[in-house]
Amino acid sequence: MRLVPIVLVISALECMRGVTVSPACKCISYESSHTKVGYFTSPNFSQPYPDGIHCLLYTFVGEKDEMVELTLLEFDLQAPFHDSCDDAVTMYLDLKQPAVNEYTKPDAVLCGSIYNIPSVHYYSTKNILMFEFKSDDIRSNNTGFQGEFKFLKQDLFSTNGDLVSNTNCDYIIDSKGKLRRGKFFSPGYPSFNKMKSIHCKYTFAGSHNQRVKLYFKKVTLKGTESSCISSRDKILVHDGDSIESAVIAEYCDTESLVEVFSTGSNMLVQLFAKTIKSTEGFEASYEFIDDSIYPSSELSSTEPDREGGSTDLGSPSVVDCDRIIRSVNQAGQPTVSGNFTSPNYPNPYPANIQCRYTFIGKGRERVQIKFADFDLYHPTKESEECRCQCDLNARVTDKYSRSGDPEFSSSDTHPFCCVDVDIVEISTIINGESADVDDFCGKAESQMVMSSGAKLTVTFMSFGALNGATRDNRGFLGQYNFVTNFGIETGEMANDSACGFIYNSSVTKSGTFNSPNYPGRYPRNTECHFMFYGFPEEQVRIAFTYFDIEGIYPCLGNTESDYVEFSNFRASVDRKLPRYCGGNKPRVQISDGQFFRVTFKSNSMFDATGFDAKYQFIDVSNADETHAPSSSGRNKEKSRHKHNKGRSTTVQTPPSSAAGNINNQQASDSSAKTSGGGGSPSSTSSNGICLSCTCIFMCMQVSWCFLPLVSSYWQLVLL
């Protein structure tokens, strides 16, 4: 429904000299003593606003315990010219009194369309908000703006906890003698905070029989194109009351409606931010939950409706088949794994039923599902072996539409779908909404499925028999596991990351690692880091034996691509190494020095099978500087030069010799690489001729090594 603007104060008042941006300013005032909610517009809205408005000041004044919220519903000003706004709305959000002048620093300057401005919501830090509107002397057809204002109580955004003395934003939230549930916020939310290098701690302390549930309603941080590990603004959730406790969740961009459960009675949230601007930060709630209130895993059937409305399954059979399965049962004992089945398994299941199996984990647990036996009724003989791809087809179609592939045809996907047939649907929660993970029907070949968070739902529906057919299908036998290692069996889990794994040369010199849930599809909204630590005289060699990461090269955020990236640095981007996605294996990667990082990141939209890789720590202490490099080494060096020149090239499959078989000969070939210090690129020489400028110090004892450099110098002089 379209909102009709209400002008509360229609007379323009002369502003007092000395307290406004200009003595010629006209003012329109709104006070909470008149109304708590209303609308404001530019002059003549929705007709073009007049030219030559030198200063029109909108002033909103609330009670001492109130704050002002502005929401821009429509915004259409003259577009900026050379990053300068001739027609503009200038926001002042941090005021102690309703007065501004030429020395008052603005908090935002807005122009252009509603799509050009950073936000449509603006909040005062106290009870006063002002903004100035001006237009130049050039006539335009822009219609101006329309917005809504509200006067809100400031305590709506107050953290329910005890502020730790001598701190700005550290809170202790104790369940003893306090509310069992409440809210907590980043400093200054929903406006902004002037602190620099913000570091806040929120410690939740429950009793011994309680667990902590956090619900992040909204997270808005200054996200980066890269992974969270290189972001300076982030939220870390620890499964305990210490910074040494394991990190079970990490947020560094925009998230919403995210739940996190502790495994014990305590939890710690850390906020790191360089600065917090308007509408940035987070709002969240907490609840202390008694383990004793958890119901048993067996519940009576509720016959829930399918998403989007009721489902007619014929005459429903009276079958109690809904289950809630938690990783901790009513007695407080862990239930790490188990089985679940269709009704009457292994005997035929009834027609016209709907069963929902809900799995709820805790901490960093993920739910992993696999069907050991799967046999559902399907009316068409051709699709007895069908792999249900209804939702997958839509995802594949959208994937190719993003890439603009002219050769794509909908006939490229599987011709059969699980429509109006007995079906198992698996869904997880992403950003507070149910997201389909996979569907199975017929005699589908089972794949492992993993949740994106700690919750996963399996829904089984059988329909009425068609044309008098009878069922003799036995249904399914499912196996579930609550896993904390994301299905990655190698390495040591790191405590400082929700999904981090450490590989030390002191433990083993070689091994394998893989994407989460491999060889099943990896979960969405997941970020994992693989850290390799060698001795000072060692380098790390990575080779992929399988690679299938959903995405479009060059795997950037604007293509909604998942990716794998490499870095010689622990917490920053290595810009000389490109990202990889799609189906092409990355070239064999060799670190510059003793450390190397591999990062995998998936978004909330698509998924694929992932990767399987091998690693090896290579001793280069006795490297022969004149040893010729392997072909894979030369390809790698060329790739680096190509990337450093800023040319985007298609990712090529490495030579078969480098496709993942790490042997002694390859180790010998790589011995020409020398361990670089401080992340500097490694160097390779062939027949005494330097292949990169970084080898200059390695070649000083071979004088004719410098001949190519001298030749290059004279070529530049002659040019």
Side-chain angles (χ1 to χ4, degrees), residues 244-378:
E244 303 299 327
S245 302
V247 173
I248 58 176
E250 187 172 8
Y251 311 112
C252 62
D253 200 341
T254 300
E255 306 281 348
S256 61
L257 309 178
V258 180
E259 283 186 342
V260 185
F261 293 87
S262 68
T263 58
S265 57
N266 300 321
M267 189 177 281
L268 171 66
V269 175
Q270 290 195 91
L271 168 66
F272 300 89
K274 185 177 180 181
T275 58
I276 293 181
K277 296 182 179 179
S278 181
T279 71
E280 291 181 351
F282 71 84
E283 60 173 310
S285 62
Y286 66 87
E287 183 178 2
F288 295 99
I289 303 174
D290 291 336
D291 285 333
S292 59
I293 68 172
Y294 287 167
S296 63
S297 61
E298 297 289 342
L299 297 179
S300 61
S301 175
T302 58
E303 293 296 327
D305 291 339
R306 292 182 71 177
E307 189 174 0
S310 62
T311 300
D312 184 7
L313 303 179
S315 300
S317 303
V318 180
V319 178
D320 292 340
C321 58
D322 285 5
R323 297 180 64 190
I324 296 178
I325 303 173
R326 302 178 185 269
S327 61
V328 176
N329 62 22
Q330 189 175 10
Q333 301 299 319
T335 56
V336 177
S337 61
N339 297 330
F340 65 103
T341 66
S342 54
N344 300 337
Y345 179 87
N347 298 314
Y349 56 84
N352 306 319
I353 62 170
Q354 177 169 310
C355 305
R356 181 165 294 178
Y357 309 80
T358 303
F359 301 85
I360 302 176
K362 62 187 185 304
R364 57 162 58 137
E365 288 178 342
R366 297 296 185 267
V367 187
Q368 195 173 45
I369 297 290
K370 185 175 183 179
F371 292 100
D373 187 20
F374 198 91
D375 177 27
L376 299 189
Y377 171 77
H378 201 289

Side-chain angles (χ1 to χ4, degrees), residues 535-539 567-576 591-596 640 674-682 694:
F535 289 107
E537 67 276 8
E538 291 180 332
Q539 289 175 297
S567 180
N568 287 283
F569 314 102
R570 189 191 181 284
S572 59
V573 177
D574 197 337
R575 300 195 181 280
K576 68 178 180 293
S591 66
D592 291 347
Q594 67 190 84
F595 172 81
F596 204 53
R640 286 189 176 182
T674 187
S675 176
S680 60
S682 58
T694 57

Side-chain angles (χ1 to χ4, degrees), residues 41-76:
T41 67
S42 56
N44 297 342
F45 185 85
S46 59
Q47 300 298 317
Y49 55 81
D51 58 283
I53 299 176
H54 299 296
C55 177
L56 180 58
L57 204 59
Y58 293 72
T59 303
F60 304 84
V61 181
E63 303 295 336
K64 291 296 184 182
D65 61 346
E66 292 179 333
M67 63 187 304
V68 185
E69 176 192 63
L70 295 189
T71 302
L72 296 174
L73 305 174
E74 297 187 49
F75 194 87
D76 177 31

Side-chain angles (χ1 to χ4, degrees), residues 92 103 159 189 287 298 301 470 486 539:
Y92 300 92
Y103 303 109
T159 295
Y189 188 88
E287 183 178 2
E298 297 289 342
S301 175
T470 59
F486 292 81
Q539 289 175 297

Side-chain angles (χ1 to χ4, degrees), residues 164-437:
V164 178
S165 59
N166 300 321
T167 68
N168 291 317
C169 55
D170 290 359
Y171 288 88
I172 301 291
I173 302 172
D174 195 334
S175 67
K176 298 177 182 179
K178 299 288 184 181
L179 293 174
R180 296 172 61 93
R181 63 184 63 186
K183 298 180 180 181
F184 64 106
F185 305 88
S186 57
Y189 188 88
S191 187
F192 64 93
N193 193 282
K194 291 188 175 181
M195 290 191 299
K196 302 295 183 181
S197 300
I198 297 169
H199 181 200
C200 303
K201 298 178 184 178
Y202 307 82
T203 304
F204 300 87
S207 59
H208 71 281
N209 64 334
Q210 291 179 326
R211 289 201 291 136
V212 186
K213 171 187 172 182
L214 301 184
Y215 181 76
F216 287 91
K217 183 177 179 181
K218 184 178 180 181
V219 175
T220 307
L221 297 176
K222 193 178 297 181
T224 64
E225 178 70 26
S226 305
S227 61
C228 281
I229 198 170
S230 58
S231 176
R232 289 181 293 183
D233 295 3
K234 67 178 67 176
I235 295 172
L236 299 180
V237 182
H238 296 265
D239 195 14
D241 58 3
S242 167
I243 60 174
E244 303 299 327
S245 302
V247 173
I248 58 176
E250 187 172 8
Y251 311 112
C252 62
D253 200 341
T254 300
E255 306 281 348
S256 61
L257 309 178
V258 180
E259 283 186 342
V260 185
F261 293 87
S262 68
T263 58
S265 57
N266 300 321
M267 189 177 281
L268 171 66
V269 175
Q270 290 195 91
L271 168 66
F272 300 89
K274 185 177 180 181
T275 58
I276 293 181
K277 296 182 179 179
S278 181
T279 71
E280 291 181 351
F282 71 84
E283 60 173 310
S285 62
Y286 66 87
E287 183 178 2
F288 295 99
I289 303 174
D290 291 336
D291 285 333
S292 59
I293 68 172
Y294 287 167
S296 63
S297 61
E298 297 289 342
L299 297 179
S300 61
S301 175
T302 58
E303 293 296 327
D305 291 339
R306 292 182 71 177
E307 189 174 0
S310 62
T311 300
D312 184 7
L313 303 179
S315 300
S317 303
V318 180
V319 178
D320 292 340
C321 58
D322 285 5
R323 297 180 64 190
I324 296 178
I325 303 173
R326 302 178 185 269
S327 61
V328 176
N329 62 22
Q330 189 175 10
Q333 301 299 319
T335 56
V336 177
S337 61
N339 297 330
F340 65 103
T341 66
S342 54
N344 300 337
Y345 179 87
N347 298 314
Y349 56 84
N352 306 319
I353 62 170
Q354 177 169 310
C355 305
R356 181 165 294 178
Y357 309 80
T358 303
F359 301 85
I360 302 176
K362 62 187 185 304
R364 57 162 58 137
E365 288 178 342
R366 297 296 185 267
V367 187
Q368 195 173 45
I369 297 290
K370 185 175 183 179
F371 292 100
D373 187 20
F374 198 91
D375 177 27
L376 299 189
Y377 171 77
H378 201 289
T380 58
K381 182 178 179 180
E382 293 83 357
S383 55
E384 285 183 354
E385 303 296 330
C386 80
R387 174 75 171 85
C388 300
Q389 297 193 6
C390 298
D391 181 67
L392 180 60
N393 287 349
R395 284 183 273 160
V396 171
T397 303
D398 186 73
K399 169 184 173 181
Y400 281 88
S401 68
R402 289 181 297 139
S403 65
D405 190 341
E407 299 180 359
F408 172 73
S409 170
S410 59
S411 62
D412 294 335
T413 59
H414 203 287
F416 303 112
C417 274
C418 302
V419 178
D420 294 331
V421 298
D422 297 353
I423 183 174
V424 168
E425 299 176 339
I426 302 180
S427 60
T428 188
I429 301 298
I430 298 179
N431 287 336
E433 297 182 355
S434 178
D436 183 63
V437 176

